[in-house]
Each structure stands twice: as structure tokens, then as C-alpha cells.
Amino acid sequence: MDLSYIINELGEERGKYYDAVAPPILQTSNFASNTVAEMRYKMRHEADAHLYTRGNNPTVSILEKKLAALERAEEAIAFGSGMGAVAAAVLSQVKAGDHVVCVKRTYTWTKTLMQRFLPRFGVDVTQVDGSDTANFERAIRPNTRLFYLESPTSFTFELQDLAAVAALARKHNCATIIDNSFASPLHQNPLSFGIDLVVHSCTKYIGGHSDVMGGIVCGSRERIQKIFKAEYMTLGAVMSPHDAWLFIRGLRTLPVRMERVADSTQKVVAYLASHPKVAQVLFPFLPSHPQHALAHRQMRTNSGQFSVLLHADSLEQVDRFCDSLQHFLMAASWGGHESLIFPMSAAYTSQEMKLDLPFNLVRFYVGLEDPDYLIRDVAQALAKM
Ligand SMILES: *Cc1c(COP(=O)(O)O)cnc(C)c1O
């Protein structure tokens, strides 16, 4: 299917809605039936029929069809946040007594789900450095049922070899889930490498304007229907029709936004990588990165995130650089129009503290501004450091 068709036409059924170019927001919680026979049919086919908006809403369905097609999946199911999607996908694959192998340095709340939440329900989790597939193999137990991936990972942007990990999982009868938010559905399609379920925080690139929250799970019809009947309907973390409409609008510009973000990021990274006050840039698309070849094998191109390790002797020096930036906003999240930094030093109260990530790490997200404007900002802040 053509990308342009998916984004501009798929699922929209304009003829049904006055030929409106923008799809309708069907802001209704409920749907009526004309006959008992119709109601009976809807109750038996709730995932596909219009009975109640927690189950199926036509505006939300348009988004689900488009995102399924972008991820080359049979189906997709939308949630009220990325974590709603992550939690539903994970819970759909495990039960008490099972074991999960999860990659280290996932998104913070995914880590909490794995470390604090799943153990309460009798599910054990082992966290591994996913850059070596052998670590997954070593962690496998007889009760391992799920490999959970995030590639690139949060903050350090390390990759997992998707084809190799998926093949290993198949061999041991384990399911695989990947959080594909950092790559976006345009730059990496994990189902093509044998991964079973793909999750996105739509809040990031898919929305693209920092004004709406949502999540999506993409996979085979069988797996998505299983989630529909359990986690989706019972936990109820569904997406509102209005939010789905904002995501459909965000999707219209996803290809041009991603192209701009990819180009600008390469320029900003090139500047930082050659700057004497920068010790290292964590970005798999740098030719010197140990996973450069893998990055090109499984991703189409880079997205807008990377981290730098500053040559800094003190917390104050890192803080000075971050505080001096005038155009990069200091914030969590990413994926919108605006460029951001996230200073790891914010998690430190003293330099002697030992956290998982060093105090001199600063995560960057490059948005849609002119890259030269961003480089000038970084240059003046580095000069003040
Ligand atoms: C933001 C984020 C999430 C969580 O998404 P929300 O929409 O904020 O719930 C999950 N994974 C990654 C990689 C993220 O960046």
C-alpha cells in the first residue's frame, strides 16, 4: 500500500459523511440498534460493530486502520496513552508463574511496570543488555513467555537485532513486543523482522504537536482480538474520538515532519560530534557507532533523538550549559514541533551520586525549527559552559 494512500485516504469512507475532506469526530458514547436482530449481531461482533464507544468508535477506527497499515499489521487497537498500550500488550502475553526477558533502559514507566507491577501478580522479569542477542538466550528459563524490546532504547539509543531476537523467541515459544516509538512507524517496521506486537506512544511523533496523548498496539488479527476481549474492554484505557481525530490530522504531515527531523538531526549531531566540549554522541547513525551497520539494516533512517556526554567536571557546568540554551526547551517527552533537552543532571543532587546514567548526559530532541538556528543556540550555550 502506498504511504500517501494510507495517510490521505485509507479508512475514511468520505461518501458516507457528506464527502467531507476532514473525517467526522463521532463524539458519541453510545450507538442505537433498530431491531433485536441488529443488536444481537452487534453484541456478538462488538470489535467490528457499533455498540458502545469503549469497544468501537468510527473515528478511532480510522486511525487504527491507518496505523495498522503503516506497521504492515493486520490490525491495530488504540489506547488513551502510550502506557495504556504498553501495559495492555504486556498483560495480554503473561499470567502468574511466567517469566519475561526485558531489555534494559526502557522508557521509565515501562521499567516500573516490569520491576514493580508484574511481580505483584506473580510474573518474574529479567532485564538484559539487549545489544547482544546472546544475553536474551542466557536469560531464558523454562517459563519464559515474553521478550520485551525497545529499539532504540531510551536515553542511550542502543539497538537490539530485531531479526535475531525474534528468531530466538520463536525457537523458545516466546512472544515478542517492541516499543517502536523512537523510530516511528515510518523508519522501522518490526513486524517485518518477525516481532509479534508493535507498540507506539502516539503522543510523540504520530500526534506531532505536543497537544494530545494516545497509544497503539499493532499485530495479527488473532493477537489484537485477544487484547480487545481482555485488556482493552476490561481495563478500559481507550482513546477518545476527538483525540483520534487529532492523531489523524497529525498523520497527514508525519512523512514531511519525519524527513525534516531526520535531516536537521544529522546536522545538529555533526556539529556536536566535532565540538571539543562534547565527549561522545550516542546516536546509532554516526559511522563511528558500534551498531551503525545494524541501524542501517533494520531502520530506514534516524529520528530526532540522541544524547551527548559533555566534557564536564561538575554538575554546575552541565547545568550551566542546559540553563544557557534559549531555543531548546527543557522538558520530558519529545516528538512535537519544538526542540527539547532532557538533562540527566536533573536527577542528581550531587556529583557523587551513582545513578544508572552519568550526570553529564543530556538527551536531545530536534524538532522542526531551522537547524542553523538550533546549532547557533547549542554553540552559544557550549561557549558559556
Ligand atoms: C512517552 C513514551 C511512552 C509512554 O507514552 P505516553 O503516551 O506518555 O503514555 C512509552 N514509550 C516511550 C519510548 C516513550 O517515549
Side-chain angles (χ1 to χ4, degrees):
M1 245 188 267
D2 283 328
L3 180 58
S4 296
Y5 171 74
I6 296 170
I7 284 182
N8 296 294
E9 296 167 57
L10 178 66
E12 300 198 28
E13 301 181 83
R14 291 198 175 106
K16 240 162 96 177
Y17 304 115
Y18 311 98
D19 294 318
V21 170
I25 307 173
L26 286 166
Q27 191 72 32
T28 182
S29 60
N30 214 356
F31 299 88
S33 299
N34 294 301
T35 61
V36 176
E38 190 184 324
M39 182 110 176
R40 188 175 292 132
Y41 176 87
K42 286 182 179 182
M43 288 177 68
R44 291 221 187 105
H45 302 90
E46 189 161 5
D48 302 307
H50 298 127
L51 179 70
Y52 189 53
T53 278
R54 177 156 41 71
N56 183 336
N57 175 282
T59 309
V60 178
S61 296
I62 296 173
L63 178 70
E64 290 171 336
K65 284 186 187 131
K66 288 180 189 293
L67 289 174
L70 288 180
E71 279 294 3
R72 295 146 162 73
E74 280 174 8
E75 285 195 4
I77 190 164
F79 291 85
S81 70
M83 277 318 296
V86 169
V90 169
L91 293 175
S92 76
Q93 299 303 315
V94 294
K95 60 180 185 328
D98 287 349
H99 173 246
V100 178
V101 183
C102 176
V103 70
K104 266 185 196 158
R105 303 221 178 91
T106 58
Y107 179 69
T108 308
W109 293 103
T110 302
K111 209 181 286 177
T112 305
L113 175 75
M114 294 288 171
Q115 291 178 336
R116 307 228 189 100
F117 190 91
L118 291 184
R120 279 170 48 199
F121 299 92
V123 178
D124 283 334
V125 180
T126 305
Q127 284 176 299
V128 297
D129 172 353
S131 54
D132 183 355
T133 307
N135 290 335
F136 284 92
E137 187 146 33
R138 278 192 279 274
I140 291 173
R141 301 179 192 165
N143 57 340
T144 306
R145 288 289 164 270
L146 172 65
F147 288 179
Y148 186 91
L149 315 179
E150 189 178 297
S151 185
T153 55
S154 293
F155 291 105
T156 50
F157 306 106
E158 292 149 303
L159 310 181
Q160 297 104 59
D161 184 330
L162 304 189
V165 174
L168 179 69
R170 288 265 151 94
K171 200 172 108 192
H172 293 271
N173 216 7
C174 297
T176 43
I177 300 174
I178 186 169
D179 184 334
N180 200 30
S181 306
F182 284 115
S184 90
L186 300 191
H187 291 177
Q188 178 170 268
N189 292 127
L191 297 180
S192 324
F193 296 96
I195 301 292
D196 294 317
L197 287 171
V198 172
V199 176
H200 284 277
S201 168
C202 299
T203 313
K204 313 296 166 54
Y205 284 128
I206 293 163
H209 295 75
S210 304
D211 55 9
V212 59
M213 303 205 67
I216 194 91
V217 183
C218 310
S220 67
R221 177 163 172 85
E222 190 187 344
R223 285 186 197 272
I224 299 300
Q225 287 302 312
K226 186 170 170 266
I227 292 172
F228 176 83
K229 289 189 189 117
E231 293 75 22
Y232 186 76
M233 289 305 285
T234 64
L235 302 180
V238 303
M239 183 183 283
S240 85
H242 185 259
D243 290 351
W245 185 86
L246 284 169
F247 285 120
I248 294 165
R249 186 165 77 157
L251 273 184
R252 309 286 197 209
T253 56
L254 183 65
V256 286
R257 285 188 287 110
M258 292 310 293
E259 210 177 301
R260 166 83 170 187
V261 159
D263 285 350
S264 300
T265 302
Q266 283 165 18
K267 289 179 182 146
V268 177
V269 165
Y271 176 80
L272 284 164
S274 65
H275 197 286
K277 290 188 180 170
V278 174
Q280 203 185 338
V281 184
L282 307 180
F283 183 67
F285 283 86
L286 268 181
S288 58
H289 193 281
Q291 294 186 304
H292 184 246
L294 177 62
H296 278 287
R297 204 156 71 231
Q298 63 190 24
M299 299 175 72
R300 286 181 201 98
T301 185
N302 63 283
S303 303
Q305 304 88 347
F306 60 90
S307 289
V308 299
L309 298 174
L310 295 169
H311 272 305
D313 303 320
S314 67
L315 212 49
E316 290 70 33
Q317 229 180 329
V318 179
D319 291 359
R320 210 173 319 132
F321 166 72
C322 296
D323 291 346
S324 300
L325 287 167
Q326 291 173 353
H327 302 310
F328 281 84
L329 303 180
M330 201 184 298
S333 196
W334 45 269
H337 53 92
E338 75 290 12
S339 293
L340 306 170
I341 57 152
F342 186 101
M344 195 42 62
S345 67
Y348 280 79
T349 48
S350 81
Q351 216 164 307
E352 287 67 44
M353 275 175 79
K354 284 273 173 283
L355 298 181
D356 188 32
L357 294 167
F359 75 91
N360 60 338
L361 183 147
V362 181
R363 184 183 75 185
F364 279 76
Y365 164 67
V366 173
L368 301 179
E369 303 91 333
D370 180 346
D372 293 328
Y373 172 80
L374 297 175
I375 289 169
R376 282 199 299 276
D377 194 22
V378 169
Q380 64 80 22
L382 282 168
K384 292 196 182 113
M385 185 177 133

